[in-house]
Amino acid sequence: MQAVLDNLPQLLEGLKFTLYYSIAAIILAVIFGLIAALMKLSKSKILKGLATVYIEVFRSTPLLVQLFFIVFGLTGVLPLNEWFGQRAYPIIAATITLALHEGAYISEIIRAGILGVDRGQKEAAASIGMTEYKTMRYIVLPQAFKRMIPPLVNQSAQTIKDTSLLAPIGIIDLVYRGQIIISATFEPFSIWLVIAIIYFTIIFAISQFAGYLERRMQLDKR
Amino acid sequence: MINVENLRKSFGKLDVLKGISTEIRHQEVVVVIGPSGSGKSTFLRCLNGLEEATSGKIEIDGVELTNPKTNIHELRQHVGMCFQQFNLFRHLNILQNITIGPMKVLNKSKEESEQLARQLLKRVGLGDKEQNYPDELSGGQQQRVAIARALAMKPKVMLFDEPTSALDPEMVGEVLNVIGDLAEDGMTMVIVTHEMGFARKVGDRVIFMDEGYLIEEGPPAEIFNNPQEKRTQSFLAKVL
Ligand SMILES: Nc1ncnc2c1ncn2[C@@H]1O[C@H](COP(=O)(O)OP(=O)(O)OP(=O)(O)O)[C@@H](O)[C@H]1O
Ligand SMILES: [Mg+2]
């Protein structure tokens, strides 16, 4: 127990990085997801095809393999470490890979949200002369985003869990910090327990919040 | 004002409009009647390009809608439409429903758009509802807002697709009154409706459609009292 108390600041420092990576990845993932969703809904076969390949590849391979491939695999054929810097490249690449991974799921959330908007809304927008772009921007997306919020909050919880896979590629987060502390204190039980409790508290709170939003949205059908 | 020449529309193998030709003059009120599935909605939706004509020609105020080079979005600014299900923007309040067109499509200022919107809301009898959301209004009120939304674009023509058939009977009158006022103000309108009394009262001309054909057209008194075509006669016998 003493080991936990002694190292709590260190663990919380790790948690801080976990949350930084999560937030960066979620923001990027929403952008990637939105682009992929719009591509998949577009009329162009090429854009549709590209988006489908992206979504399927990232959903049908394990995140850990994606991380190893992009962080270590690509540097075997491209001088990425030189371009971005020895220290920066793994962090940038890992964050982007995580965002691409989550973005593949988020694109399906966004797509379902867009498709869930009543066709009559689009026709009404067209009838007052809105272009497809303006219809999407002012009518469809605001309505779609509202109903996408609960699943997006859930996906954020998933993203925080997924950041634990950054530790195996040598990026400092909560898990990585924990491993270092364990190697110094030989207290795997209490340290892993505390790590699990920290994850649980955050993720449980977020998914409760998502559930609350969902219930509220059902009451308020707007 | 509107010129339709040999308009055809098919959905896959299903021929819905089989060669419609007619002309709608400036300030004329044309009422379209006919049995369910005869293609009335499809005809109306072709007039603002919500459905793309399969062949034929539609000209609105000198602009050929059926020409692929025509900017359809620009043209739609001049052709207002009201739907059976109102289709108000659910995430916007009543005022915003009306201002969004002038602001985002015509790039007018917020002040100017709101002033116009309030004027229009007063005109349709809903001056006190501007902060409400669509789902807080009755069907009749929603349809009147939808009319105001269309009018905010200062259209040259208004299209109505069964504007009262989703309404409770006691609300039909308030919507028809607003449309009747528009007719008096000289708005050019094409109205699909099952309200035969209303058609007779405000219509300058009635078009009867059946199975994708324009069967008969003429002044309401002639069509209703003395229809020439068998199909018109049997339809009217059923609905009158
Ligand atoms: N998007 C579409 N895809 C396929 N078929 C369609 C489509 N829209 C309409 N139709 C068909 O076209 C025919 C005419 O439909 P339309 O809605 O124009 O009739 P209507 O005269 O307006 O009927 P109602 O009085 O019931 O509104 C119907 O058989 C309908 O099923
Ligand atoms: Mg119809």
Side-chain angles (χ1 to χ4, degrees):
Chain A
M1 217 48 229
Q2 196 55 43
V4 171
L5 288 178
D6 288 347
N7 292 292
L8 202 55
Q10 295 247 39
L11 282 176
L12 292 180
E13 173 87 6
L15 173 64
K16 195 175 79 186
F17 283 110
T18 288
L19 294 180
Y20 284 168
Y21 292 127
S22 301
I23 291 166
I26 290 163
I27 291 170
L28 283 174
V30 169
I31 297 169
F32 294 155
L34 180 61
I35 294 170
L38 292 176
M39 282 168 70
K40 213 170 164 181
L41 289 170
S42 78
K43 288 184 193 116
S44 152
K45 279 216 170 84
I46 299 170
L47 293 180
K48 252 189 205 165
L50 284 172
T52 307
V53 168
Y54 156 59
I55 292 165
E56 295 309 327
V57 164
F58 275 87
R59 291 201 311 180
S60 311
T61 52
L63 174 57
L64 192 60
V65 173
Q66 294 163 17
L67 285 165
F68 272 108
F69 180 78
I70 292 178
V71 176
F72 300 124
L74 285 187
T75 47
V77 290
L78 289 171
L80 292 164
N81 282 325
E82 269 168 49
W83 293 348
F84 293 95
Q86 194 78 34
R87 279 164 63 94
Y89 177 71
I91 291 173
I92 295 169
T95 308
I96 291 175
T97 308
L98 186 59
L100 285 169
H101 179 83
E102 307 301 334
Y105 290 92
I106 287 176
S107 77
E108 294 293 291
I109 294 174
I110 293 179
R111 200 167 74 97
I114 290 174
L115 290 174
V117 175
D118 177 29
R119 200 182 71 160
Q121 297 285 307
K122 282 181 243 176
E123 292 188 345
S127 79
I128 56 171
M130 284 196 183
T131 56
E132 282 83 2
Y133 168 77
K134 285 182 181 172
T135 301
M136 195 47 97
R137 163 88 175 70
Y138 297 113
I139 306 301
V140 177
L141 284 181
Q143 292 187 43
F145 265 123
K146 248 188 158 163
R147 53 172 101 219
M148 285 185 282
I149 290 171
L152 283 178
V153 171
N154 267 326
Q155 194 64 38
S156 308
Q158 181 65 43
T159 307
I160 295 175
K161 278 190 265 182
D162 289 343
T163 52
S164 62
L165 291 174
L166 298 183
I169 54 169
I171 288 176
I172 297 168
D173 73 336
L174 180 55
V175 168
Y176 190 92
R177 267 288 147 79
Q179 287 171 327
I180 291 174
I181 295 166
I182 290 164
S183 64
T185 59
F186 305 106
E187 294 254 14
F189 178 78
S190 55
I191 299 288
W192 281 122
L193 181 65
V194 171
I195 290 173
I197 291 171
I198 293 174
Y199 275 116
F200 177 81
T201 312
I202 295 171
I203 288 159
F204 184 71
I206 292 176
S207 41
Q208 289 302 104
F209 179 57
Y212 161 78
L213 287 176
E214 199 155 359
R215 281 191 300 280
R216 232 193 54 176
M217 209 142 297
Q218 259 150 17
L219 292 178
D220 166 36
K221 274 277 174 208
R222 199 168 292 150
Chain B
M1 183 83 218
I2 302 181
N3 222 319
V4 182
E5 265 174 54
N6 203 14
L7 169 65
R8 287 167 189 274
K9 172 69 188 174
S10 315
F11 293 105
K13 281 200 177 120
L14 180 69
D15 297 328
V16 176
L17 300 179
K18 301 168 185 166
I20 306 269
S21 299
T22 190
E23 193 182 331
I24 292 149
R25 290 188 306 275
H26 183 59
Q27 300 203 324
E28 193 181 19
V29 177
V30 173
V31 177
V32 182
I33 61 171
S36 184
S38 55
K40 307 182 296 295
S41 296
T42 306
F43 171 61
L44 205 65
R45 292 160 59 83
C46 284
L47 295 184
N48 72 348
L50 278 186
E51 300 292 353
E52 198 182 334
T54 305
S55 71
K57 194 166 147 187
I58 301 172
E59 217 179 80
I60 295 184
D61 205 24
V63 180
E64 198 189 326
L65 186 153
T66 36
N67 183 337
K69 287 199 197 101
T70 299
N71 180 344
I72 186 81
H73 307 294
E74 145 96 45
L75 189 139
R76 283 188 189 131
Q77 295 169 17
H78 311 297
V79 185
M81 183 159 195
C82 287
F83 303 85
Q84 192 173 345
Q85 299 299 335
F86 333 127
N87 297 343
L88 291 182
F89 302 130
R90 303 176 62 187
H91 62 305
L92 301 178
N93 70 25
I94 299 310
L95 194 70
Q96 293 164 335
N97 259 278
I98 302 174
T99 55
I100 193 160
M103 281 171 65
K104 302 301 180 195
V105 178
L106 303 177
N107 296 317
K108 286 196 189 156
S109 73
K110 193 172 171 201
E111 292 71 36
E112 192 185 350
S113 308
E114 288 187 345
Q115 200 186 345
L116 172 66
R118 294 202 169 99
Q119 215 174 308
L120 289 167
L121 277 175
K122 219 174 265 165
R123 184 160 159 197
V124 299
L126 291 169
D128 54 339
K129 298 284 186 206
E130 62 174 66
Q131 294 305 321
N132 287 85
Y133 280 83
D135 59 2
E136 297 164 351
L137 265 54
S138 73
Q141 292 173 331
Q142 289 190 49
Q143 192 61 294
R144 286 185 279 151
V145 174
I147 294 172
R149 173 177 68 185
L151 292 177
M153 301 301 290
K154 305 224 161 86
K156 295 173 184 157
V157 193
M158 283 284 287
L159 310 174
F160 291 88
D161 191 1
E162 302 198 31
T164 59
S165 55
L167 300 178
D168 292 336
E170 71 269 22
M171 289 168 191
V172 170
E174 64 193 47
V175 172
L176 293 184
N177 283 340
V178 170
I179 301 174
D181 290 346
L182 282 179
E184 265 172 39
D185 293 347
M187 177 63 81
T188 310
M189 296 195 277
V190 185
I191 308 169
V192 175
T193 186
H194 290 301
E195 299 286 336
M196 297 302 158
F198 175 75
R200 199 190 283 257
K201 203 170 81 195
V202 304
D204 296 313
R205 181 155 48 106
V206 174
I207 290 178
F208 173 70
M209 283 180 65
D210 193 17
E211 293 181 356
Y213 294 103
L214 191 163
I215 305 288
E216 192 170 353
E217 59 182 320
E222 271 177 37
I223 300 287
F224 286 115
N225 300 336
N226 190 18
Q228 299 300 306
E229 299 290 328
K230 256 220 152 64
R231 289 205 244 180
T232 320
Q233 289 162 7
S234 69
F235 172 75
L236 289 172
K238 267 182 256 163
V239 300
L240 285 180

mmCIF file of all heavy atoms in Angstrom, chain A residues 43 123 132, chain B residues 7-12 14 16-17 41-58 65-70 72 76:
data_model
loop_
_atom_site.group_PDB
_atom_site.id
_atom_site.type_symbol
_atom_site.label_atom_id
_atom_site.label_comp_id
_atom_site.label_asym_id
_atom_site.label_seq_id
_atom_site.Cartn_x
_atom_site.Cartn_y
_atom_site.Cartn_z
ATOM 1 N N LYS A 43 -21.603 10.936 -53.824
ATOM 2 C CA LYS A 43 -22.017 10.204 -55.016
ATOM 3 C C LYS A 43 -20.828 9.576 -55.724
ATOM 4 O O LYS A 43 -20.983 8.652 -56.505
ATOM 5 C CB LYS A 43 -22.763 11.150 -55.965
ATOM 6 C CG LYS A 43 -24.138 11.517 -55.430
ATOM 7 C CD LYS A 43 -24.925 12.376 -56.419
ATOM 8 C CE LYS A 43 -26.144 12.986 -55.757
ATOM 9 N NZ LYS A 43 -26.110 14.449 -55.701
ATOM 10 N N GLU A 123 -35.315 18.084 -48.178
ATOM 11 C CA GLU A 123 -36.129 18.613 -49.274
ATOM 12 C C GLU A 123 -36.572 20.036 -48.972
ATOM 13 O O GLU A 123 -36.594 20.887 -49.863
ATOM 14 C CB GLU A 123 -37.343 17.711 -49.503
ATOM 15 C CG GLU A 123 -36.927 16.366 -50.054
ATOM 16 C CD GLU A 123 -38.115 15.515 -50.462
ATOM 17 O OE1 GLU A 123 -39.247 15.852 -50.066
ATOM 18 O OE2 GLU A 123 -37.887 14.526 -51.171
ATOM 19 N N GLU A 132 -26.334 21.638 -51.655
ATOM 20 C CA GLU A 132 -26.113 20.423 -50.865
ATOM 21 C C GLU A 132 -25.214 20.748 -49.676
ATOM 22 O O GLU A 132 -25.425 20.275 -48.564
ATOM 23 C CB GLU A 132 -25.466 19.308 -51.699
ATOM 24 C CG GLU A 132 -26.418 18.575 -52.608
ATOM 25 C CD GLU A 132 -26.662 19.303 -53.925
ATOM 26 O OE1 GLU A 132 -26.041 20.382 -54.143
ATOM 27 O OE2 GLU A 132 -27.481 18.833 -54.731
ATOM 28 N N LEU B 7 -43.783 16.724 -70.413
ATOM 29 C CA LEU B 7 -42.992 16.278 -69.259
ATOM 30 C C LEU B 7 -43.244 14.801 -68.977
ATOM 31 O O LEU B 7 -44.378 14.361 -68.803
ATOM 32 C CB LEU B 7 -43.373 17.124 -68.033
ATOM 33 C CG LEU B 7 -42.856 16.668 -66.674
ATOM 34 C CD1 LEU B 7 -41.343 16.742 -66.611
ATOM 35 C CD2 LEU B 7 -43.485 17.504 -65.565
ATOM 36 N N ARG B 8 -42.138 14.057 -68.930
ATOM 37 C CA ARG B 8 -42.223 12.640 -68.571
ATOM 38 C C ARG B 8 -41.315 12.368 -67.387
ATOM 39 O O ARG B 8 -40.243 12.947 -67.279
ATOM 40 C CB ARG B 8 -41.769 11.755 -69.732
ATOM 41 C CG ARG B 8 -42.768 11.698 -70.848
ATOM 42 C CD ARG B 8 -42.153 11.085 -72.097
ATOM 43 N NE ARG B 8 -43.085 11.253 -73.193
ATOM 44 C CZ ARG B 8 -44.081 10.405 -73.455
ATOM 45 N NH1 ARG B 8 -44.225 9.316 -72.723
ATOM 46 N NH2 ARG B 8 -44.903 10.644 -74.441
ATOM 47 N N LYS B 9 -41.786 11.467 -66.522
ATOM 48 C CA LYS B 9 -40.963 11.091 -65.381
ATOM 49 C C LYS B 9 -41.177 9.614 -65.089
ATOM 50 O O LYS B 9 -42.314 9.144 -64.973
ATOM 51 C CB LYS B 9 -41.352 11.928 -64.154
ATOM 52 C CG LYS B 9 -40.695 11.490 -62.863
ATOM 53 C CD LYS B 9 -39.201 11.780 -62.854
ATOM 54 C CE LYS B 9 -38.522 11.172 -61.646
ATOM 55 N NZ LYS B 9 -37.050 11.326 -61.712
ATOM 56 N N SER B 10 -40.079 8.881 -65.003
ATOM 57 C CA SER B 10 -40.168 7.461 -64.655
ATOM 58 C C SER B 10 -39.291 7.194 -63.441
ATOM 59 O O SER B 10 -38.230 7.779 -63.296
ATOM 60 C CB SER B 10 -39.667 6.581 -65.802
ATOM 61 O OG SER B 10 -40.188 7.040 -67.032
ATOM 62 N N PHE B 11 -39.769 6.316 -62.577
ATOM 63 C CA PHE B 11 -38.924 5.785 -61.508
ATOM 64 C C PHE B 11 -38.578 4.367 -61.941
ATOM 65 O O PHE B 11 -39.404 3.466 -61.830
ATOM 66 C CB PHE B 11 -39.656 5.770 -60.168
ATOM 67 C CG PHE B 11 -39.953 7.143 -59.627
ATOM 68 C CD1 PHE B 11 -41.232 7.670 -59.665
ATOM 69 C CD2 PHE B 11 -38.934 7.923 -59.084
ATOM 70 C CE1 PHE B 11 -41.495 8.930 -59.155
ATOM 71 C CE2 PHE B 11 -39.192 9.188 -58.575
ATOM 72 C CZ PHE B 11 -40.472 9.697 -58.617
ATOM 73 N N GLY B 12 -37.376 4.180 -62.440
ATOM 74 C CA GLY B 12 -37.028 2.874 -62.979
ATOM 75 C C GLY B 12 -37.974 2.527 -64.114
ATOM 76 O O GLY B 12 -38.096 3.279 -65.076
ATOM 77 N N LEU B 14 -41.216 2.234 -63.754
ATOM 78 C CA LEU B 14 -42.548 2.779 -63.516
ATOM 79 C C LEU B 14 -42.691 4.170 -64.139
ATOM 80 O O LEU B 14 -42.031 5.113 -63.740
ATOM 81 C CB LEU B 14 -42.791 2.856 -62.002
ATOM 82 C CG LEU B 14 -44.146 3.399 -61.547
ATOM 83 C CD1 LEU B 14 -45.261 2.426 -61.881
ATOM 84 C CD2 LEU B 14 -44.123 3.696 -60.055
ATOM 85 N N VAL B 16 -44.477 7.412 -64.329
ATOM 86 C CA VAL B 16 -45.394 8.117 -63.435
ATOM 87 C C VAL B 16 -46.036 9.308 -64.141
ATOM 88 O O VAL B 16 -47.233 9.545 -64.010
ATOM 89 C CB VAL B 16 -44.656 8.567 -62.162
ATOM 90 C CG1 VAL B 16 -45.575 9.383 -61.264
ATOM 91 C CG2 VAL B 16 -44.155 7.350 -61.394
ATOM 92 N N LEU B 17 -45.242 10.061 -64.897
ATOM 93 C CA LEU B 17 -45.793 11.146 -65.707
ATOM 94 C C LEU B 17 -45.573 10.777 -67.169
ATOM 95 O O LEU B 17 -44.461 10.471 -67.581
ATOM 96 C CB LEU B 17 -45.098 12.476 -65.369
ATOM 97 C CG LEU B 17 -45.223 12.957 -63.918
ATOM 98 C CD1 LEU B 17 -44.468 14.268 -63.724
ATOM 99 C CD2 LEU B 17 -46.683 13.122 -63.514
ATOM 100 N N SER B 41 -48.111 14.732 -56.951
ATOM 101 C CA SER B 41 -46.934 15.169 -56.198
ATOM 102 C C SER B 41 -45.704 15.168 -57.082
ATOM 103 O O SER B 41 -44.880 16.086 -57.039
ATOM 104 C CB SER B 41 -46.679 14.245 -55.008
ATOM 105 O OG SER B 41 -47.742 14.316 -54.107
ATOM 106 N N THR B 42 -45.565 14.128 -57.871
ATOM 107 C CA THR B 42 -44.404 14.030 -58.745
ATOM 108 C C THR B 42 -44.359 15.203 -59.720
ATOM 109 O O THR B 42 -43.303 15.809 -59.930
ATOM 110 C CB THR B 42 -44.443 12.696 -59.517
ATOM 111 O OG1 THR B 42 -44.580 11.624 -58.576
ATOM 112 C CG2 THR B 42 -43.181 12.492 -60.328
ATOM 113 N N PHE B 43 -45.504 15.551 -60.264
ATOM 114 C CA PHE B 43 -45.595 16.695 -61.169
ATOM 115 C C PHE B 43 -45.122 17.971 -60.465
ATOM 116 O O PHE B 43 -44.270 18.707 -60.964
ATOM 117 C CB PHE B 43 -47.039 16.848 -61.660
ATOM 118 C CG PHE B 43 -47.309 18.110 -62.437
ATOM 119 C CD1 PHE B 43 -46.626 18.364 -63.617
ATOM 120 C CD2 PHE B 43 -48.219 19.042 -61.974
ATOM 121 C CE1 PHE B 43 -46.862 19.537 -64.340
ATOM 122 C CE2 PHE B 43 -48.462 20.214 -62.685
ATOM 123 C CZ PHE B 43 -47.777 20.461 -63.866
ATOM 124 N N LEU B 44 -45.649 18.179 -59.268
ATOM 125 C CA LEU B 44 -45.298 19.386 -58.512
ATOM 126 C C LEU B 44 -43.798 19.410 -58.190
ATOM 127 O O LEU B 44 -43.138 20.446 -58.305
ATOM 128 C CB LEU B 44 -46.111 19.398 -57.212
ATOM 129 C CG LEU B 44 -46.362 20.755 -56.566
ATOM 130 C CD1 LEU B 44 -47.220 21.610 -57.471
ATOM 131 C CD2 LEU B 44 -47.060 20.565 -55.219
ATOM 132 N N ARG B 45 -43.269 18.247 -57.798
ATOM 133 C CA ARG B 45 -41.861 18.182 -57.402
ATOM 134 C C ARG B 45 -40.935 18.352 -58.608
ATOM 135 O O ARG B 45 -39.789 18.766 -58.442
ATOM 136 C CB ARG B 45 -41.585 16.867 -56.676
ATOM 137 C CG ARG B 45 -42.290 16.799 -55.311
ATOM 138 C CD ARG B 45 -42.426 15.377 -54.802
ATOM 139 N NE ARG B 45 -41.148 14.716 -54.661
ATOM 140 C CZ ARG B 45 -40.370 14.859 -53.585
ATOM 141 N NH1 ARG B 45 -40.770 15.575 -52.578
ATOM 142 N NH2 ARG B 45 -39.195 14.258 -53.537
ATOM 143 N N CYS B 46 -41.430 18.042 -59.793
ATOM 144 C CA CYS B 46 -40.633 18.318 -60.998
ATOM 145 C C CYS B 46 -40.516 19.829 -61.225
ATOM 146 O O CYS B 46 -39.527 20.307 -61.763
ATOM 147 C CB CYS B 46 -41.257 17.660 -62.227
ATOM 148 S SG CYS B 46 -40.978 15.889 -62.314
ATOM 149 N N LEU B 47 -41.551 20.568 -60.797
ATOM 150 C CA LEU B 47 -41.570 22.005 -61.070
ATOM 151 C C LEU B 47 -40.507 22.777 -60.282
ATOM 152 O O LEU B 47 -40.218 23.921 -60.618
ATOM 153 C CB LEU B 47 -42.960 22.599 -60.766
ATOM 154 C CG LEU B 47 -44.117 22.111 -61.636
ATOM 155 C CD1 LEU B 47 -45.394 22.860 -61.293
ATOM 156 C CD2 LEU B 47 -43.789 22.279 -63.122
ATOM 157 N N ASN B 48 -39.968 22.197 -59.214
ATOM 158 C CA ASN B 48 -38.824 22.869 -58.587
ATOM 159 C C ASN B 48 -37.585 21.967 -58.557
ATOM 160 O O ASN B 48 -36.652 22.189 -57.811
ATOM 161 C CB ASN B 48 -39.174 23.391 -57.180
ATOM 162 C CG ASN B 48 -39.311 22.282 -56.165
ATOM 163 O OD1 ASN B 48 -39.369 21.102 -56.519
ATOM 164 N ND2 ASN B 48 -39.351 22.641 -54.899
ATOM 165 N N GLY B 49 -37.636 20.941 -59.387
ATOM 166 C CA GLY B 49 -36.439 20.110 -59.554
ATOM 167 C C GLY B 49 -36.154 19.175 -58.395
ATOM 168 O O GLY B 49 -35.080 18.595 -58.329
ATOM 169 N N LEU B 50 -37.107 19.000 -57.463
ATOM 170 C CA LEU B 50 -36.874 17.993 -56.421
ATOM 171 C C LEU B 50 -36.874 16.606 -57.056
ATOM 172 O O LEU B 50 -36.226 15.690 -56.574
ATOM 173 C CB LEU B 50 -37.949 18.066 -55.335
ATOM 174 C CG LEU B 50 -37.777 19.129 -54.248
ATOM 175 C CD1 LEU B 50 -38.850 18.972 -53.179
ATOM 176 C CD2 LEU B 50 -36.405 19.082 -53.608
ATOM 177 N N GLU B 51 -37.649 16.469 -58.130
ATOM 178 C CA GLU B 51 -37.527 15.277 -58.981
ATOM 179 C C GLU B 51 -37.007 15.748 -60.330
ATOM 180 O O GLU B 51 -37.463 16.779 -60.843
ATOM 181 C CB GLU B 51 -38.883 14.584 -59.187
ATOM 182 C CG GLU B 51 -39.567 14.108 -57.928
ATOM 183 C CD GLU B 51 -38.864 12.953 -57.225
ATOM 184 O OE1 GLU B 51 -37.881 12.411 -57.785
ATOM 185 O OE2 GLU B 51 -39.307 12.616 -56.122
ATOM 186 N N GLU B 52 -36.067 14.987 -60.861
ATOM 187 C CA GLU B 52 -35.502 15.358 -62.151
ATOM 188 C C GLU B 52 -36.372 14.759 -63.255
ATOM 189 O O GLU B 52 -36.650 13.556 -63.242
ATOM 190 C CB GLU B 52 -34.072 14.815 -62.245
ATOM 191 C CG GLU B 52 -33.259 15.474 -63.319
ATOM 192 C CD GLU B 52 -31.863 14.863 -63.401
ATOM 193 O OE1 GLU B 52 -31.391 14.325 -62.380
ATOM 194 O OE2 GLU B 52 -31.266 14.912 -64.488
ATOM 195 N N ALA B 53 -36.800 15.612 -64.189
ATOM 196 C CA ALA B 53 -37.624 15.119 -65.283
ATOM 197 C C ALA B 53 -36.846 14.090 -66.099
ATOM 198 O O ALA B 53 -35.641 14.222 -66.300
ATOM 199 C CB ALA B 53 -38.047 16.277 -66.172
ATOM 200 N N THR B 54 -37.536 13.047 -66.545
ATOM 201 C CA THR B 54 -36.889 12.054 -67.401
ATOM 202 C C THR B 54 -36.736 12.614 -68.817
ATOM 203 O O THR B 54 -35.713 12.438 -69.461
ATOM 204 C CB THR B 54 -37.700 10.747 -67.415
ATOM 205 O OG1 THR B 54 -37.885 10.318 -66.065
ATOM 206 C CG2 THR B 54 -36.994 9.670 -68.207
ATOM 207 N N SER B 55 -37.778 13.304 -69.291
ATOM 208 C CA SER B 55 -37.672 14.029 -70.553
ATOM 209 C C SER B 55 -38.721 15.117 -70.586
ATOM 210 O O SER B 55 -39.578 15.200 -69.705
ATOM 211 C CB SER B 55 -37.835 13.084 -71.744
ATOM 212 O OG SER B 55 -39.179 12.656 -71.818
ATOM 213 N N GLY B 56 -38.642 15.956 -71.589
ATOM 214 C CA GLY B 56 -39.560 17.085 -71.671
ATOM 215 C C GLY B 56 -38.889 18.368 -71.213
ATOM 216 O O GLY B 56 -37.697 18.374 -70.904
ATOM 217 N N LYS B 57 -39.670 19.425 -71.193
ATOM 218 C CA LYS B 57 -39.084 20.736 -70.923
ATOM 219 C C LYS B 57 -39.927 21.488 -69.896
ATOM 220 O O LYS B 57 -41.157 21.498 -69.982
ATOM 221 C CB LYS B 57 -39.052 21.513 -72.248
ATOM 222 C CG LYS B 57 -38.186 22.735 -72.228
ATOM 223 C CD LYS B 57 -37.964 23.225 -73.656
ATOM 224 C CE LYS B 57 -37.854 24.736 -73.691
ATOM 225 N NZ LYS B 57 -37.801 25.266 -75.058
ATOM 226 N N ILE B 58 -39.277 22.081 -68.927
ATOM 227 C CA ILE B 58 -39.968 22.945 -67.967
ATOM 228 C C ILE B 58 -39.251 24.292 -67.977
ATOM 229 O O ILE B 58 -38.021 24.345 -67.832
ATOM 230 C CB ILE B 58 -39.926 22.373 -66.537
ATOM 231 C CG1 ILE B 58 -40.577 20.990 -66.485
ATOM 232 C CG2 ILE B 58 -40.620 23.324 -65.557
ATOM 233 C CD1 ILE B 58 -40.393 20.283 -65.158
ATOM 234 N N LEU B 65 -35.597 25.012 -66.560
ATOM 235 C CA LEU B 65 -35.225 24.171 -65.420
ATOM 236 C C LEU B 65 -34.605 22.854 -65.877
ATOM 237 O O LEU B 65 -33.708 22.314 -65.233
ATOM 238 C CB LEU B 65 -36.473 23.918 -64.579
ATOM 239 C CG LEU B 65 -36.401 23.184 -63.245
ATOM 240 C CD1 LEU B 65 -37.548 23.636 -62.370
ATOM 241 C CD2 LEU B 65 -36.456 21.673 -63.383
ATOM 242 N N THR B 66 -35.111 22.340 -66.983
ATOM 243 C CA THR B 66 -34.659 21.032 -67.446
ATOM 244 C C THR B 66 -33.319 21.091 -68.169
ATOM 245 O O THR B 66 -32.780 20.052 -68.535
ATOM 246 C CB THR B 66 -35.726 20.407 -68.372
ATOM 247 O OG1 THR B 66 -36.331 21.452 -69.149
ATOM 248 C CG2 THR B 66 -36.799 19.719 -67.562
ATOM 249 N N ASN B 67 -32.784 22.288 -68.347
ATOM 250 C CA ASN B 67 -31.453 22.397 -68.943
ATOM 251 C C ASN B 67 -30.406 22.096 -67.871
ATOM 252 O O ASN B 67 -30.382 22.743 -66.827
ATOM 253 C CB ASN B 67 -31.269 23.822 -69.478
ATOM 254 C CG ASN B 67 -29.943 24.004 -70.192
ATOM 255 O OD1 ASN B 67 -28.998 23.260 -69.955
ATOM 256 N ND2 ASN B 67 -29.881 24.994 -71.060
ATOM 257 N N PRO B 68 -29.546 21.096 -68.116
ATOM 258 C CA PRO B 68 -28.575 20.728 -67.077
ATOM 259 C C PRO B 68 -27.648 21.887 -66.683
ATOM 260 O O PRO B 68 -27.059 21.866 -65.603
ATOM 261 C CB PRO B 68 -27.773 19.574 -67.701
ATOM 262 C CG PRO B 68 -28.362 19.315 -69.035
ATOM 263 C CD PRO B 68 -29.468 20.281 -69.308
ATOM 264 N N LYS B 69 -27.524 22.883 -67.538
ATOM 265 C CA LYS B 69 -26.636 24.006 -67.214
ATOM 266 C C LYS B 69 -27.270 25.005 -66.252
ATOM 267 O O LYS B 69 -26.607 25.864 -65.703
ATOM 268 C CB LYS B 69 -26.239 24.745 -68.499
ATOM 269 C CG LYS B 69 -25.243 23.980 -69.353
ATOM 270 C CD LYS B 69 -24.536 24.917 -70.339
ATOM 271 C CE LYS B 69 -23.863 24.135 -71.442
ATOM 272 N NZ LYS B 69 -24.671 24.142 -72.688
ATOM 273 N N THR B 70 -28.592 24.898 -66.073
ATOM 274 C CA THR B 70 -29.275 25.839 -65.177
ATOM 275 C C THR B 70 -28.858 25.598 -63.728
ATOM 276 O O THR B 70 -28.746 24.453 -63.285
ATOM 277 C CB THR B 70 -30.803 25.655 -65.299
ATOM 278 O OG1 THR B 70 -31.174 25.939 -66.636
ATOM 279 C CG2 THR B 70 -31.548 26.575 -64.349
ATOM 280 N N ILE B 72 -29.822 25.078 -60.466
ATOM 281 C CA ILE B 72 -31.105 24.688 -59.880
ATOM 282 C C ILE B 72 -31.326 25.349 -58.518
ATOM 283 O O ILE B 72 -32.445 25.697 -58.158
ATOM 284 C CB ILE B 72 -31.200 23.142 -59.794
ATOM 285 C CG1 ILE B 72 -32.585 22.683 -59.320
ATOM 286 C CG2 ILE B 72 -30.157 22.566 -58.891
ATOM 287 C CD1 ILE B 72 -33.587 22.658 -60.409
ATOM 288 N N ARG B 76 -34.509 27.623 -57.495
ATOM 289 C CA ARG B 76 -35.429 27.248 -56.413
ATOM 290 C C ARG B 76 -35.708 28.404 -55.456
ATOM 291 O O ARG B 76 -36.709 28.392 -54.742
ATOM 292 C CB ARG B 76 -34.864 26.070 -55.622
ATOM 293 C CG ARG B 76 -35.020 24.756 -56.334
ATOM 294 C CD ARG B 76 -34.609 23.631 -55.387
ATOM 295 N NE ARG B 76 -34.538 22.357 -56.067
ATOM 296 C CZ ARG B 76 -33.508 21.524 -55.980
ATOM 297 N NH1 ARG B 76 -32.461 21.839 -55.240
ATOM 298 N NH2 ARG B 76 -33.522 20.375 -56.609
#
